[in-house]
Every structure is written in structure tokens, then in C-alpha cells.
Amino acid sequence: MSITVTTKINYVEFTSPALEQTQAFFTEAFGWDYVDYGPDYKDIGGAGTGGGIERGALRPPLIVLETDDLDAMLAKVKAAGGKITQEIFTFPGGRRFQFKEPGGTELAVWTQG
């Protein structure tokens, strides 16, 4: 059975143990601006695609896909062999889950609301 849902790259999350310095660098070097979501998360504006910086241990950037049907996409990811690393959870603005594709890259899928 094939499930048709819309999915596109929508957001990139960075981590930084030095959040304020990373934010200042991106502002000075690229002219990006920010919306603060507490002391540990900055939403990036003006970068051409959505993005954010989370205070935390350094890890590769997380590519976030947007879908119009999160539950159907979770089922498709599992059926295709993805390993779920975080089950569906809510956050301000939506819901998402995270997974690793068979080659090991971690990605996330989210939906608004």
C-alpha cells in the first residue's frame, strides 16, 4: 500500500555549546536575525530556509522535513527501514519525530499545529 504525503526540507537545526557566540558569528558574518525561544534556543530568520540553534553538545546539523501527515510519514519511514530515535513529541508550533536512515544520518520530520 502506498501512502501519498507531501514532504520537503524545511528547517536546519544547529547545536552549539557556546550559543551566544554562535549567534553573534552568524549575525555578523551572514546578517541573520533571531527569535528567542528561551535561553537555550534561537530561531534563525533571514537565512533563506528555516533554522535554529540549540544550546548543547556539538552534533551534525539536523535536517528537518515538513509533512502534511506526520503519522503517515512515521509509518512510511519505519516501512522503508528507518530507525526511530525519538518518537512523536510536541513542541511550540507543532509535532515531530526523529529517525536515522539506513546509512546513519539522523533527520527529523515535523508538522504544524
Side-chain angles (χ1 to χ4, degrees):
M1 177 173 128
S2 177
I3 301 171
T4 303
V5 293
T6 302
T7 309
K8 62 182 178 178
I9 294 175
N10 173 261
Y11 203 80
V12 178
E13 279 188 345
F14 302 93
T15 57
S16 174
L19 179 59
E20 291 78 13
Q21 291 89 344
T22 298
Q23 178 181 359
F25 171 80
F26 286 157
T27 298
E28 185 174 334
F30 308 125
W32 297 349
D33 55 27
Y34 302 87
V35 174
D36 293 343
Y37 287 105
D40 296 324
Y41 197 89
K42 311 295 182 189
D43 187 72
I44 298 170
T49 194
I53 310 168
E54 180 178 26
R55 184 184 315 278
L58 200 55
R59 65 168 160 71
L62 180 69
I63 303 299
V64 183
L65 309 169
E66 183 179 15
T67 187
D68 56 355
D69 189 334
L70 192 66
D71 296 310
M73 187 50 56
L74 177 64
K76 285 185 67 120
V77 166
K78 286 180 177 179
K83 179 182 175 197
I84 305 306
T85 58
Q86 272 192 288
E87 292 291 338
I88 293 175
F89 64 93
T90 59
F91 64 94
R95 301 168 51 231
R96 89 180 197 192
F97 69 89
Q98 290 177 208
F99 68 96
K100 287 188 177 180
E101 51 85 17
T105 299
E106 187 165 21
L107 297 104
V109 180
W110 85 289
T111 193
Q112 295 184 31

